[in-house]
Amino acid sequence: MTNDINKLWKRLVSSCGLLVLLGTSSINLAAQEVERQDATSGKTTSIERAQCDEDLNAAMEKYLQSAKDKKLNIQSVMVLQHGKVLYEKWLNGGEPQKAHVLNSVSKTFTSAAVGLAISEGLLSLDDKVVSFFPDDLPDSPSENLKNVTVRNLLTMNSGHDSEPKRDAAETWTKSFLAWPIDHQPGAYYCYNSLGTYMLSAIVQKVTGQKVVDYLQPRLFDPLGIDAPRWDESPQGINCGGWGLYLKTEDLAKMGLLLLQGGKWNGKQILPAEYVAEATRAQVPCQPSWIRADKVAESGLTPENSDWVLGYGYQVWMCRHNAYRADGAGGQYIIVIPDKDAVVINTADLQDMQAELNLVWDYILPSLK
């Protein structure tokens, strides 16, 4: 009797093992099919990884120790070169699959939407902002207001002497259009998040879609970025200058896209000419907390600051011939063309220059 039970048990185990094997094979085949579908569609789910060499690994250990010593609450760092991830780490609550608030890094994505709308013939850099909002204009629009263009919004040169603020009693577009414009558009840099909101509102006007929806098939899907959260105004318009949430690797994909002139997997995703213009210095600039006429006495110079090297289309220029998308609290997409490299940071900190200095002191020298 015992022998019969043992034989039966062996047959069951053998059968189950075969079923498990067949099930595993089916799963593997299904996964391979998904990968083939992604390759066919041009959609990328993950950036290729490569071995981190000893020099970079040692540099990253010093980088992280220095950040700890300086009490810089960095939550993720990713280093890419030649299109591959060489190093990645999440800490202080950061997680690979957790979307992070981007603050003003959102601006660079809004700029991408503007570039796409221009390429589709829906918009031009020289379009007057007032032409899109005839019902929101003040009773007697100033000549300066009438002359503000899409280009001025992109370069934060709309002519405001101070950053426009939202009036809780008004729509956000009315708040922007009602704010005094003391300078000739194009002649004075003033950091302007509400100006980026206006870009988002303009894109929505000409496309009939919120920026996040407009970008989904044109940018997010090709890069393999899941439908992101993007906060909205009470009027149902994406905030544009803030409010976007993405994962660290999503930011890396955007950095690579910019580094590659808007091309992804051999396909032109963003217009090459627009990317080239967006990522070069269009106008002089300074940090949001300093007026343009106070830069000289601030002590900030091109040698010691990454905030006085020029501004493109919602993109900051950096030292070392680099440029960046930049968000409060330490959110960065840093593109370093001379090294064919991208560095990503998410963080929760105050001293953003110290955070950049760590990149220049430790990561940059280790990139061959």
mmCIF file of all heavy atoms in Angstrom, residues 12-26:
data_model
loop_
_atom_site.group_PDB
_atom_site.id
_atom_site.type_symbol
_atom_site.label_atom_id
_atom_site.label_comp_id
_atom_site.label_asym_id
_atom_site.label_seq_id
_atom_site.Cartn_x
_atom_site.Cartn_y
_atom_site.Cartn_z
ATOM 1 N N LEU A 12 2.285 12.575 -9.524
ATOM 2 C CA LEU A 12 1.689 13.896 -9.331
ATOM 3 C C LEU A 12 2.736 15.001 -9.367
ATOM 4 O O LEU A 12 2.558 16.043 -9.996
ATOM 5 C CB LEU A 12 0.934 13.948 -7.986
ATOM 6 C CG LEU A 12 -0.412 13.215 -7.935
ATOM 7 C CD1 LEU A 12 -0.918 13.152 -6.501
ATOM 8 C CD2 LEU A 12 -1.428 13.895 -8.845
ATOM 9 N N VAL A 13 3.837 14.777 -8.663
ATOM 10 C CA VAL A 13 4.925 15.760 -8.645
ATOM 11 C C VAL A 13 5.460 15.980 -10.042
ATOM 12 O O VAL A 13 5.712 17.100 -10.482
ATOM 13 C CB VAL A 13 6.053 15.312 -7.698
ATOM 14 C CG1 VAL A 13 7.274 16.206 -7.864
ATOM 15 C CG2 VAL A 13 5.561 15.348 -6.253
ATOM 16 N N SER A 14 5.630 14.843 -10.784
ATOM 17 C CA SER A 14 6.149 14.943 -12.148
ATOM 18 C C SER A 14 5.202 15.744 -13.020
ATOM 19 O O SER A 14 5.608 16.605 -13.799
ATOM 20 C CB SER A 14 6.342 13.539 -12.726
ATOM 21 O OG SER A 14 6.773 13.611 -14.062
ATOM 22 N N SER A 15 3.893 15.471 -12.888
ATOM 23 C CA SER A 15 2.898 16.182 -13.689
ATOM 24 C C SER A 15 2.885 17.653 -13.342
ATOM 25 O O SER A 15 2.834 18.530 -14.213
ATOM 26 C CB SER A 15 1.501 15.584 -13.455
ATOM 27 O OG SER A 15 1.472 14.237 -13.873
ATOM 28 N N CYS A 16 2.891 17.977 -12.027
ATOM 29 C CA CYS A 16 2.894 19.385 -11.589
ATOM 30 C C CYS A 16 4.126 20.103 -12.080
ATOM 31 O O CYS A 16 4.066 21.267 -12.504
ATOM 32 C CB CYS A 16 2.820 19.468 -10.067
ATOM 33 S SG CYS A 16 1.198 18.995 -9.419
ATOM 34 N N GLY A 17 5.260 19.404 -12.017
ATOM 35 C CA GLY A 17 6.499 20.022 -12.493
ATOM 36 C C GLY A 17 6.419 20.371 -13.954
ATOM 37 O O GLY A 17 6.864 21.429 -14.395
ATOM 38 N N LEU A 18 5.816 19.462 -14.735
ATOM 39 C CA LEU A 18 5.656 19.711 -16.162
ATOM 40 C C LEU A 18 4.735 20.906 -16.389
ATOM 41 O O LEU A 18 4.997 21.776 -17.230
ATOM 42 C CB LEU A 18 5.081 18.469 -16.846
ATOM 43 C CG LEU A 18 4.827 18.587 -18.363
ATOM 44 C CD1 LEU A 18 6.133 18.909 -19.088
ATOM 45 C CD2 LEU A 18 4.216 17.297 -18.913
ATOM 46 N N LEU A 19 3.639 20.971 -15.601
ATOM 47 C CA LEU A 19 2.709 22.085 -15.735
ATOM 48 C C LEU A 19 3.379 23.403 -15.391
ATOM 49 O O LEU A 19 3.194 24.423 -16.060
ATOM 50 C CB LEU A 19 1.485 21.877 -14.820
ATOM 51 C CG LEU A 19 0.497 20.784 -15.264
ATOM 52 C CD1 LEU A 19 -0.544 20.548 -14.162
ATOM 53 C CD2 LEU A 19 -0.187 21.191 -16.572
ATOM 54 N N VAL A 20 4.173 23.388 -14.292
ATOM 55 C CA VAL A 20 4.903 24.600 -13.896
ATOM 56 C C VAL A 20 5.855 25.026 -14.997
ATOM 57 O O VAL A 20 5.961 26.198 -15.356
ATOM 58 C CB VAL A 20 5.654 24.383 -12.572
ATOM 59 C CG1 VAL A 20 6.603 25.537 -12.299
ATOM 60 C CG2 VAL A 20 4.657 24.231 -11.421
ATOM 61 N N LEU A 21 6.565 24.022 -15.549
ATOM 62 C CA LEU A 21 7.523 24.308 -16.618
ATOM 63 C C LEU A 21 6.820 24.915 -17.824
ATOM 64 O O LEU A 21 7.260 25.906 -18.401
ATOM 65 C CB LEU A 21 8.252 23.025 -17.020
ATOM 66 C CG LEU A 21 9.290 23.149 -18.139
ATOM 67 C CD1 LEU A 21 10.393 24.125 -17.719
ATOM 68 C CD2 LEU A 21 9.883 21.790 -18.474
ATOM 69 N N LEU A 22 5.674 24.290 -18.204
ATOM 70 C CA LEU A 22 4.921 24.814 -19.341
ATOM 71 C C LEU A 22 4.392 26.204 -19.052
ATOM 72 O O LEU A 22 4.414 27.087 -19.899
ATOM 73 C CB LEU A 22 3.753 23.871 -19.667
ATOM 74 C CG LEU A 22 4.126 22.516 -20.273
ATOM 75 C CD1 LEU A 22 2.893 21.617 -20.362
ATOM 76 C CD2 LEU A 22 4.761 22.696 -21.652
ATOM 77 N N GLY A 23 3.919 26.405 -17.781
ATOM 78 C CA GLY A 23 3.408 27.721 -17.407
ATOM 79 C C GLY A 23 4.493 28.770 -17.466
ATOM 80 O O GLY A 23 4.290 29.872 -17.969
ATOM 81 N N THR A 24 5.680 28.421 -16.967
ATOM 82 C CA THR A 24 6.807 29.353 -16.987
ATOM 83 C C THR A 24 7.206 29.695 -18.408
ATOM 84 O O THR A 24 7.478 30.840 -18.746
ATOM 85 C CB THR A 24 8.006 28.738 -16.242
ATOM 86 O OG1 THR A 24 7.601 28.436 -14.917
ATOM 87 C CG2 THR A 24 9.179 29.715 -16.208
ATOM 88 N N SER A 25 7.225 28.648 -19.273
ATOM 89 C CA SER A 25 7.579 28.885 -20.670
ATOM 90 C C SER A 25 6.582 29.828 -21.321
ATOM 91 O O SER A 25 6.951 30.718 -22.092
ATOM 92 C CB SER A 25 7.610 27.559 -21.432
ATOM 93 O OG SER A 25 8.592 26.698 -20.891
ATOM 94 N N SER A 26 5.290 29.627 -20.998
ATOM 95 C CA SER A 26 4.258 30.493 -21.575
ATOM 96 C C SER A 26 4.444 31.929 -21.130
ATOM 97 O O SER A 26 4.312 32.869 -21.913
ATOM 98 C CB SER A 26 2.859 30.006 -21.159
ATOM 99 O OG SER A 26 2.634 28.696 -21.651
#
